[in-house]
């Protein structure tokens, strides 16, 4: 019995002659009589092949394998699928793909949801090379994640060669090692088994695995494999991993630091991934200095690194307008103390950037670089040392408590004077909810003209001290709210039902 | 005897019939036999007229008045001018107008100097309506300025009607009052005498008076006088004030909040000011939401209000490139706690903006809005309550100690990796000086490759705690500098002479 959105797996025996990774294809089309899902099986070494399938509806799904290896051809497979258990919501998708037309809002295109309709607001983190660390460190990372607010993690398949990250890993996606070189025609099944175990463990923690397929930080040759090998690798990666409901595809990290791969290659690689992904997971690509054209139809969401050192999460407003897709600022700089300006902002500033981005209708990812420790979270995982994760947790709860269809306040000539300086997330249709965030401003008070005919309860949120203080009474009309003259405050207004 | 750069004044008697402000013109052309300076005299009420002249060279200057009033015509005037005393350097001008061609550098066009060649680096503040306050408050403002770092002040002639500033002043530029209305054809000589006294007192303190000629915050009618009256007023203002060496002309504050005055009017007003100003004082215009075209030839320097809430003084780099003139960010928001985002940043952030702008080769102006006090500095003057002025004083000393021809480090492919994130002011020609400012970054260390063959002394500057700590020893080659992992640090490197 396979639970809905989980993985059915059949293990088959076939040829081990020649190079089955290259030579053998294996397919199966699963049907429940109403729809059909075709999957690609894959080779695991020593004559072992696997066919995986993620059923998205309960019922009986059957398939008959097809292969150019007679031993793998014509095998009948049956997946009996039970309903999803509580907490299992399937893939994350753009909200406008999930929500029924009848309930659609303009705001849907800027957000995500699980495929069963459950709300999903990404609060990501970054541990690029955590699956390439010693096993004990990987286990520690999972322990840390259990207690952390993060529900998405940016992670590479290939190991990372970069300052503070120069050690060879134990195993690689391809067979071989740094001393003797790699066989770019054969994958290492143990590496992939280990990787899949980690993806599954993330799923158990409710964490989306934002898989970075290619990246430039390399001394082994994985960044410069060439077009054919790239495609060979991408197909294998997708054939194995697309059955995990919590997988997102990031075509590359800092694609523009691999200038030897032209835009045409990325577009082609995206088509390969889409062609092999039996389900249609989220897809994006991440920049360094030059933005990718996020209007491309294959891109489901913006996965952007801030271009400006000073104006970072505030750009969410512009990027939403420009791209009309969910905006995830996957790198807004990291909390920490590294010598370079991408990784030494304070916990306060990291927290501020999260709030700015969320109130503007976008999403942020966290990262941490405290270089005095053996493991640096941004690359190795391990443990967290910064001050922002607790505050991100607080923000995550505030965002979870907000009504689902909140949107950034639209500035008009009428409301401009009171609102030009501070972002506000609100529900304008029924005037039921307003969340103002004051960032580094420290006003002694603010004034508001509340919507006529409504009464509001007000709460003062200290986003740094993580407190919510209800203000006494009920508010109507033109009001003045006294504030503690501190940075990082917010005001939440909720309509009182008559 | 009149000291060089100070004011010769002759008082003449003429007609008081009709409206001499409108009807009588009075001119004098002063010559020392090598050059001639024509000035406009002005009417002071009750048949009294004055001719003023600021001699810029020692010697004997003579003139014969000309007027359409026979009593004022043909009067011989003699100004005996002595050399400037120490501390008296004349007007401030763009440095490229002062410096001899032989010593000119590319950087001159971005900076100022006194006309005798002495260095001038503006560290301004803002007290818009200080001359419209009760006398005791004005005296208090001067007392405060004596101890403050500021050497330029932005101030209006007309009173200000705006939140926290709604009281009628005692006197106005024009005769009349708020109850009975104003005679827009007659000036109030007492008001102008008082204003001039304040300008002279500022000069004694070494403070440039950045005079705002027109502004929109008005309930008396001064913002909407119409073209003819505007010109009548501008001529009178310039005829009286241009003889003060410490005057700068700001055509308007937030010109774009007076949409009833088209750009053609501002251009015309600028020609009026230039035509009446016998000496050529600095000229600019200040924006709110829309930048003026600072490339206009009449504009001597950029007097800009930041357009973006988040990226403020950092824009100096772009504005220098765009306008090729000195860039003064005359409003980068104010330290304080007002309810609106233009006036409630921390002292830390105000100080950071000053440093960012100065290191990028520009200049900043301060302002302060703590609304719990009777006098709010930004408008009334009075006393200062913020934490930034002391730090601005520290920065002013650091900037005064820098070699004169420092310029922002030019990024090249070679130095990009070590320098993309942090601004640096340096002397690249002889590699003698580097000043790095880390802003809100808090690196644990930085690495630098020092210019080959040179040795450097290094100092760690805590720009908030206002300390300078010499690092032990002398530095050469590739170095690592350990830092205290605090915000607002700077590193100063000075070449050790062999």
């Amino acid at each position: 019995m396979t639970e809905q959105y989980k993985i059915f797996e059949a293990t088959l025996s076939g040829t081990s002659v020649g190079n089955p990774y290259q030579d053998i294809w294996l397919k199966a089309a699963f049907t429940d009589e109403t729809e059909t899902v075709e999957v690609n099986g894959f080779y695991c070494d020593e004559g072992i092949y696997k066919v995986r399938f993620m059923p998205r509806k309960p019922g009986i799904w059957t398939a008959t394998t097809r292969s150019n290896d007679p031993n793998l051809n014509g095998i009948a497979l049956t997946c009996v699928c039970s309903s999803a258990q509580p907490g299992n919501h399937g893939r994350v998708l753009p909200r406008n793909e999930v929500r029924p037309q009848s309930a659609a809002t303009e705001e849907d295109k800027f957000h995500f949801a699980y495929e069963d309709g459950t709300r999903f607001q990404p609060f990501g983190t970054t541990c690029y090379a955590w699956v390439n660390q010693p096993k004990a460190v990987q286990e520690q990372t999972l322990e840390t994640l259990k207690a952390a607010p993060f529900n998405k993690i940016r992670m590479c398949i290939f190991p990372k060669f970069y300052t503070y990250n120069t050690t060879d890993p134990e195993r690689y996606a391809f067979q071989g090692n740094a001393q003797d070189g790699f066989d770019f025609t054969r994958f290492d099944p143990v590496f992939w088994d280990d990787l899949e175990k980690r993806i599954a463990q993330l799923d158990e923690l409710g964490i989306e695995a934002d898989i970075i397929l290619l990246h430039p930080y390399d001394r082994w040759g994985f960044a410069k494999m060439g077009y054919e090998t790239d495609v060979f690798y991408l197909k294998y990666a997708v054939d194995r991993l697309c059955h995990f409901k919590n997988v997102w595809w990031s075509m590359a990290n800092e694609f523009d630091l691999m200038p030897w791969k032209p835009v045409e290659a990325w577009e082609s690689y995206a088509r390969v991934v889409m062609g092999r992904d039996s389900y249609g997971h989220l897809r994006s690509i991440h920049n360094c200095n030059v933005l990718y054209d996020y209007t491309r139809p294959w891109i489901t969401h913006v996965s952007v690194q801030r271009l400006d050192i000073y104006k970072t999460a505030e750009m969410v407003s512009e990027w939403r307008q420009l791209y009309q897709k969910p905006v995830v600022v996957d790198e807004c700089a990291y909390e920490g103390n590294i010598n370079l300006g991408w990784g030494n902002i304070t916990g306060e500033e990291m927290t501020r950037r999260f709030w700015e981005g969320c109130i503007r209708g976008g999403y942020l990812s966290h990262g941490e670089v405290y270089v005095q420790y053996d493991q640096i979270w941004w690359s190795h995982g391990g443990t967290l040392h910064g001050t922002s994760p607790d505050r991100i947790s607080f923000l995550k709860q505030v965002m979870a408590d907000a009504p689902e269809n909140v949107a950034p306040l639209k500035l008009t000539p009428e409301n401009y004077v009171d609102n030009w300086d501070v972002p506000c997330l609100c529900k304008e249709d029924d005037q039921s909810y307003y969340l103002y965030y004051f960032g580094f401003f420290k006003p002694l008070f603010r004034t508001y003209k509340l919507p006529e005919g409504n009464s509001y309860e007000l709460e003062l949120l200290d986003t740094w001290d993580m407190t919510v203080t209800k203000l006494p009474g009920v508010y109507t009309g033109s009001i003045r709210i006294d504030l503690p003259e501190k940075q990082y405050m917010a005001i939440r207004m909720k309509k009182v039902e008559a």
Side-chain angles (χ1 to χ4, degrees), chain A residues 313 332 335 345-357 364 366 387-395 437 463-464 466 488:
Chain A
C332 69
E335 180 183 348
I345 60 170
T346 61
E348 286 87 342
E349 178 65 7
M350 174 60 88
T351 304
R352 193 191 70 78
R353 292 180 185 193
F354 262 77
W355 272 86
E356 278 286 346
L364 273 286
H366 160 271
T387 52
S388 66
D390 284 350
R391 279 77 189 187
I392 293 168
S393 198
F394 178 79
L395 167 62
Y437 175 62
T463 72
W464 185 250
M466 299 176 283
Y488 315 128

Side-chain angles (χ1 to χ4, degrees), chain A residues 250-269:
Chain A
S250 179
M251 295 307 305
N253 211 52
E254 301 192 324
F255 78 95
D256 49 321
L257 300 190
M258 290 186 277
W260 53 90
K261 294 190 198 291
V263 168
E264 294 71 28
W266 296 114
E267 293 291 309
S268 177
Y269 295 164

Side-chain angles (χ1 to χ4, degrees), chain A residues 173-237:
Chain A
F174 286 100
Q175 294 181 21
N177 58 59
Q179 289 68 50
D180 308 322
F182 294 94
D183 181 350
F184 285 105
T185 69
R186 289 173 187 272
F187 298 99
D188 179 343
V190 178
F191 170 86
W192 289 91
D193 286 346
D194 289 345
L195 172 63
E196 287 161 1
K197 179 178 148 196
R198 297 314 184 193
I199 293 172
Q201 287 172 311
L202 291 173
D203 190 40
E204 282 164 27
L205 297 176
I207 298 172
E208 303 292 302
D210 196 353
I211 303 278
I212 296 164
L213 292 164
L214 293 161
H215 69 72
Y217 332 108
D218 180 65
R219 69 179 186 89
W220 304 276
F222 304 127
K224 289 193 173 179
M225 298 189 298
Y227 182 83
E228 295 298 330
T229 306
D230 280 351
V231 169
F232 176 64
Y233 153 76
L234 290 170
K235 287 179 175 173
Y236 191 75

